[in-house]
Amino acid sequence: MDDRPLPLLFGAHLARDRRRSAHTVRAYEATAARLMTFLSGHWGAAVDRGALGKVTAADLRAYLAQRRTDGIGNASAARELSAVRAFLNFAGGEDAELPRLRGPRVKKGVPRPVSPDEAVALAEEVAEDAREPWIGARDLAVLLLLYGAGLRIGEAMALTGADLPMGETLRVTGKRDKTRIVPLLPQVRAAVEEYVRLCPYGPAPAVPLFRGARGGPLAPALIRRAVRAARVRLGLPERTTPHALRHSFATHLLGRGADLRALQELLGHASLSSTQIYTAVDAAHLLDVYRNAHPRA
């Protein structure tokens, strides 16, 4: 009999039976361990497999409330709840009755950039829902290129094996065959490298870097479809699209002091007027912060 702790058994199940990525296994194991630690203090007793079958919606609400105090946002809370449900289902078996608890909702309103928390949660949720580990790694790499480097989805699809190995910068060919150099964060490079390592189709200089399940070029529609499904699960608004990740890249840089001309170069805009739209978006975001926080607003 395997006497490893339940979170580790859960992780082994995800890796062996569900073929989840190493990233997903680590994240879900961590959630399972957090839940058991919380319940032990919440109930004042040790938690075993049998006790997990008695978890109520009120217990889960209390757990999520504690996680909120850790600073997680709506998207992360929704992913946490998804992991908790998977763990409780594992502990109780396929026929287990799970407590019903609706995930957090995002208020609808004027379109705003996707927050950093939402962008990362979205990319990870898409990757975790993939049917094969290499496909999950592929989708994660694509979405991080959009959010972490400001690429258009068509620009990401146009990358080939000739762009490997990726260094600290990447040459991108955009609209009207205009080229630009964009910096690559270590996390983005690591995601691409992991995809290349897992992909069953070896890279070649004249072949698209991102491949479909049968080895052909990856269709952008597949990424858009995966994002649509993930944003529903996370409770994110309809404005959360692949292209919104590029908008968020621009807005977050501008909000942290990036020069407008430099941002124009990073985005590959032909004219500065195309880039200036982000000044209005960022001002609108600041106005929201003011209205919500200022005592005289």
Side-chain angles (χ1 to χ4, degrees):
M1 184 176 179
D2 198 328
D3 58 356
R4 286 180 295 174
L6 266 177
L8 293 184
L9 292 176
F10 176 49
H13 159 71
L14 292 174
R16 181 187 63 246
D17 304 325
R18 302 296 302 277
R19 303 182 68 184
R20 295 299 195 184
S21 69
H23 172 83
T24 300
V25 171
R26 286 194 300 271
Y28 275 41
E29 275 184 3
T31 295
R34 278 194 298 268
L35 177 67
M36 291 190 69
T37 299
F38 169 80
L39 291 175
S40 178
H42 187 59
W43 291 338
V47 178
D48 56 16
R49 191 184 289 265
L52 289 172
K54 301 174 183 177
V55 171
T56 66
D59 294 326
L60 294 187
R61 277 193 291 271
Y63 170 70
L64 289 178
Q66 185 189 71
R67 292 291 289 134
R68 290 287 197 178
T69 65
D70 296 333
I72 66 171
N74 280 358
S76 292
R79 292 186 70 250
E80 189 93 353
L81 183 57
S82 176
V84 164
R85 284 171 173 154
F87 177 53
L88 294 178
N89 189 69
F90 165 77
E94 294 296 329
D95 297 326
E97 264 194 56
L98 302 182
R100 294 183 179 181
L101 183 63
R102 181 174 294 176
R105 291 187 175 185
V106 176
K107 294 180 180 179
K108 295 184 178 180
V110 179
R112 290 290 181 267
V114 179
S115 73
D117 173 68
E118 292 170 345
V120 174
L122 178 72
E124 292 178 346
E125 179 70 17
V126 168
E128 288 168 8
D129 195 51
R131 61 186 182 186
E132 297 283 349
W134 78 268
I135 292 178
R138 177 200 69 192
D139 294 351
L140 181 65
V142 169
L143 294 176
L144 288 186
L145 279 168
L146 306 189
Y147 177 62
L151 269 62
R152 301 177 178 93
I153 192 167
E155 293 169 345
M157 298 299 99
L159 296 175
T160 69
D163 295 300
L164 299 174
M166 291 186 180
E168 294 184 355
T169 61
L170 175 67
R171 181 181 292 273
V172 179
T173 301
K175 292 182 177 180
R176 304 178 186 87
D177 290 329
K178 182 180 178 181
T179 62
R180 67 186 190 277
I181 304 295
V182 299
L184 287 182
L185 295 170
Q187 297 93 322
V188 178
R189 294 201 304 273
V192 174
E193 289 167 2
E194 179 68 1
Y195 158 66
V196 172
R197 186 182 71 82
L198 294 176
C199 182
Y201 309 107
V207 175
L209 174 60
F210 295 110
R211 316 283 282 274
R214 297 181 180 179
L218 175 63
L222 293 178
I223 297 295
R224 294 189 180 100
R225 187 185 309 159
V227 167
R228 280 197 300 271
R231 78 186 180 209
V232 170
R233 292 193 298 273
L234 295 178
L236 297 175
E238 291 183 3
R239 64 175 170 81
T240 311
T241 64
H243 198 66
L245 296 179
R246 172 175 153 89
H247 286 312
S248 299
F249 162 83
T251 306
H252 297 160
L253 282 180
L254 188 62
R256 285 158 180 77
D259 176 78
L260 201 59
R261 285 286 184 186
L263 188 57
Q264 177 189 358
E265 291 296 322
L266 287 176
L267 293 171
H269 286 160
S271 67
L272 189 63
S273 61
S274 299
T275 314
Q276 285 174 329
I277 186 175
Y278 295 108
T279 62
V281 173
D282 195 59
H285 172 67
L286 291 175
L287 185 59
D288 277 352
V289 172
Y290 170 80
R291 285 172 175 163
N292 291 329
H294 198 285
R296 295 181 179 273

